[in-house]
Amino acid sequence: MSTGKNNDELGEAGLREKRLEEQLALAKLREKELRHLIDMVPAYVYSVDEEGRVLLANKAFAGIFGKKSSDLTGRLITEIDPNQDQAQRMLDECREAIKGGSSPDDRMEEILDPNGQPVVVRSTTIPYQDPHTGYPIILGVSVDVTELVQLRKHSERSRHAVVFGLARLAEARDGETGAHLERVCS
């Protein structure tokens, strides 16, 4: 009888082990799917440790430096970014965010692309404790909003031109009203 019981226990242990193997295989598959998903995102997705070492970089983030994602992993931001002032600012912001606690930081800033052209990004970063190592890291997402900023400026100039045009039109009819509109417009 004890032999039958051992077989049942071995059977249960074998089933548990098989389930664990299946769960690990599924977790690896999900990790691979997640990596593909992150690389598909047109925003810059990254994580950086408190030393400024890149832990994760999607294709878009790597592209802003003219590199591949695999070229960035484990390297310092100051080694990657040819603009050392920009790299140091990013490193300082990461360190400050880690010290600052758990609240997200949302800001707009201008950075330079590999060709030296300005790019306006809206960045959100949050300190996070790496569940594998226990060390603090920064998770970040930045979105290129250069076109939106340019459209807003164009819209403001257009609105100003319309108001100024109306002022000129009013001035043609009544000089005092036109002068008043010009003062308000300036």
Side-chain angles (χ1 to χ4, degrees):
M1 273 220 163
S2 64
T3 309
K5 193 171 189 179
N6 280 340
N7 285 339
D8 287 342
E9 288 175 6
L10 288 176
E12 286 179 33
L15 283 174
R16 279 194 303 268
E17 188 173 319
K18 185 175 179 175
R19 268 193 227 124
L20 178 60
E21 287 173 9
E22 288 173 349
Q23 287 175 332
L24 290 174
L26 187 57
K28 285 184 182 183
L29 179 61
R30 285 185 181 136
E31 184 177 326
K32 193 173 185 179
E33 289 171 346
L34 182 60
R35 180 65 206 193
H36 285 300
L37 182 63
I38 290 170
D39 277 337
M40 287 173 34
V41 174
Y44 313 129
V45 179
Y46 53 94
S47 67
V48 180
D49 69 10
E50 61 190 335
E51 293 178 20
R53 228 170 266 294
V54 175
L55 304 173
L56 170 83
N58 73 342
K59 287 181 181 180
F61 183 79
I64 197 74
F65 299 108
K67 310 253 187 231
K68 295 179 185 174
S69 301
S70 58
D71 295 339
L72 301 187
T73 306
R75 295 189 52 204
L76 295 169
I77 288 291
T78 52
E79 295 174 344
I80 297 165
D81 195 338
N83 182 331
Q84 288 300 297
D85 292 337
Q86 181 172 283
Q88 190 60 50
R89 188 177 72 240
M90 184 177 183
L91 177 58
D92 293 343
E93 288 169 358
C94 286
R95 287 180 174 156
E96 200 57 41
I98 286 173
K99 288 179 192 173
S102 62
S103 60
D105 179 29
D106 190 19
R107 67 189 175 287
M108 284 186 50
E109 62 186 324
E110 189 174 284
I111 61 172
L112 298 177
D113 71 8
N115 300 320
Q117 296 299 312
V119 176
V120 180
V121 294
R122 181 175 182 180
S123 300
T124 301
T125 56
I126 188 165
Y128 181 75
Q129 186 170 355
D130 187 319
H132 303 291
T133 64
Y135 295 124
I137 62 173
I138 290 295
L139 300 177
V141 176
S142 298
V143 178
D144 183 343
V145 293
T146 307
E147 286 184 33
L148 291 173
V149 169
Q150 290 171 345
L151 284 172
R152 181 181 288 158
K153 287 179 183 176
H154 178 72
S155 174
E156 288 173 8
R157 284 192 301 265
S158 296
R159 185 173 42 245
H160 186 270
V162 167
V163 170
F164 192 72
L166 288 172
R168 289 281 183 217
L169 183 60
E171 183 180 295
R173 298 184 82 205
D174 177 7
E176 193 176 310
T177 303
H180 172 71
L181 285 173
E182 277 191 45
R183 285 191 304 275
V184 169
C185 200
S186 298

